[in-house]
Amino acid sequence: MTQDSSGPGTQTPEKIDTTVPHSARIWNYWLGGKDNYPVDHQAGDAFREIFPGINDLARDSRAFLGRAVRHLAGEAGIRQFLDIGTGLPTADNTHEIAQSVAPGARIVYVDNDPLVLTHAEALLTSSPEGVTDYVDADLHNPVAVLREAARTLDLSRPVALTLMQVSGHIADYDEARAIVRELLDALPSGSYFAFNDSVDTNRANAAATRLYNESGAVPYYLRSPAELAGFFDGLELLAPGVVPITDWRPDPGTATATGEVIALGGVARKP
């Protein structure tokens, strides 16, 4: 990967701390983006040295999001998306995929990272028929997320809620479940939940995550397969259920999970 070692742009937004690694910027680095800084390269490289599969995980998570959104905008007929933990824009963003299927789709991105905010203009591009908006809010405050999202989305009509590799930012499992439940409770029957996160059973990923959590960055908490499956309690899981993310309705000719599972994901309907 070729990186711009000077970091994104020629100016550093005032609120951005470039002395501490940040998950959104590190994830961008693993995806081959330019919106990151030397401190993120160092943390990302240290993580990858212990867990070489992290680049594949980043790409596989992005591909899982794409397949889920295509299905939801297509076969499921969803026209509203609430993407929480957006991260930095790369290729195949949620609005691009959804509006390629349904040009009138409305998408709200949610993140609370100042660097993501500086790139909101890139996220706000939309088809002429649709709408794309950005909410500066924290997953820990679902009331604020829903209040701001309601400025763009009609929460009386079905919405697809997506959470990709972000639930680990909530340390307590019960709190994480409660936040997801509060978000889903605000959405009507016929809404969908698309979710993936990493399991704690992959030793290399677990070891790399422990090192990352000691770097000064906001910690991330891996969870057991049973805990990840628990996020779907009370929902109607679509086939094939909660599975390794490469095994969820893979595109023809693409590789599926081999060896030890790294991340699980699924898509479910609210009854």
Side-chain angles (χ1 to χ4, degrees), residues 9 11 20 63 95 104 181 184 255:
Q11 296 181 341
V20 176
H95 73 283
R181 181 54 52 197
L184 288 170

Side-chain angles (χ1 to χ4, degrees), residues 68-87:
V69 170
R70 280 197 301 272
H71 169 78
L72 292 170
E75 185 177 335
I78 294 296
R79 296 296 179 264
Q80 302 189 110
F81 293 81
L82 180 56
D83 184 337
I84 301 180
T86 302

Side-chain angles (χ1 to χ4, degrees), residues 93 95-96 99 109 120-127 131-133:
N93 298 292
H95 73 283
E96 294 170 326
Q99 291 178 348
Y109 291 105
E121 185 176 350
L123 287 175
L124 293 178
T125 58
S126 175
S127 67
V131 177
T132 306
D133 201 1

Side-chain angles (χ1 to χ4, degrees), residues 232-246:
F232 293 97
D233 286 353
L235 304 176
E236 300 171 349
L237 272 166
L238 305 187
V242 182
V243 295
I245 54 177
T246 55

Side-chain angles (χ1 to χ4, degrees), residues 158-172:
V159 176
L161 169 67
T162 68
L163 290 170
M164 303 293 167
Q165 293 283 328
V166 295
S167 72
H169 285 302
I170 304 168
D172 183 79

Side-chain angles (χ1 to χ4, degrees), residues 17-270:
D17 186 350
T18 62
T19 67
V20 176
H22 190 282
S23 60
R25 301 193 312 248
I26 296 171
W27 201 257
N28 178 265
Y29 175 53
W30 287 329
L31 285 170
K34 297 188 298 181
D35 300 315
N36 41 71
Y37 297 93
V39 67
D40 306 309
H41 307 175
Q42 294 164 10
D45 290 343
F47 197 108
R48 185 167 48 205
E49 185 175 348
I50 298 173
F51 177 47
I54 187 59
N55 289 76
D56 290 336
L57 171 59
R59 289 190 292 266
D60 290 343
S61 177
R62 198 72 179 178
F64 169 79
L65 170 66
R67 297 194 303 276
V69 170
R70 280 197 301 272
H71 169 78
L72 292 170
E75 185 177 335
I78 294 296
R79 296 296 179 264
Q80 302 189 110
F81 293 81
L82 180 56
D83 184 337
I84 301 180
T86 302
L88 291 157
T90 58
D92 298 327
N93 298 292
T94 297
H95 73 283
E96 294 170 326
I97 297 167
Q99 291 178 348
S100 71
V101 177
R106 304 173 74 87
I107 295 87
V108 170
Y109 291 105
V110 180
D111 211 302
N112 68 331
D113 177 72
L115 184 59
V116 176
L117 184 58
T118 67
H119 287 267
E121 185 176 350
L123 287 175
L124 293 178
T125 58
S126 175
S127 67
E129 303 92 334
V131 177
T132 306
D133 201 1
Y134 174 85
V135 170
D136 184 15
D138 192 327
L139 176 59
H140 289 83
N141 188 353
V143 172
V145 169
L146 292 164
R147 181 184 65 245
E148 296 302 315
R151 299 176 187 273
T152 300
L153 305 180
D154 179 355
L155 300 187
S156 69
R157 300 177 63 83
V159 176
L161 169 67
T162 68
L163 290 170
M164 303 293 167
Q165 293 283 328
V166 295
S167 72
H169 285 302
I170 304 168
D172 183 79
Y173 176 63
D174 289 337
E175 181 186 2
R177 286 279 306 274
I179 287 172
V180 170
R181 181 54 52 197
E182 185 170 354
L183 291 166
L184 288 170
D185 283 348
L187 306 180
S189 174
S191 294
Y192 284 83
F193 178 47
F195 170 87
N196 93 71
D197 219 327
S198 301
V199 295
D200 63 2
T201 52
N202 184 287
R203 293 182 179 180
N205 193 15
T209 300
R210 284 194 295 272
L211 177 68
Y212 170 81
N213 289 348
E214 296 169 358
S215 70
V218 176
Y220 203 85
Y221 300 92
L222 305 181
R223 297 194 164 101
S224 70
E227 287 174 325
L228 295 182
F231 283 98
F232 293 97
D233 286 353
L235 304 176
E236 300 171 349
L237 272 166
L238 305 187
V242 182
V243 295
I245 54 177
T246 55
D247 290 352
W248 196 88
R249 306 192 179 193
D251 294 326
T254 57
T256 56
T258 58
E260 193 174 1
V261 174
I262 300 171
L264 296 174
V267 178
R269 181 183 183 275
K270 181 178 177 179

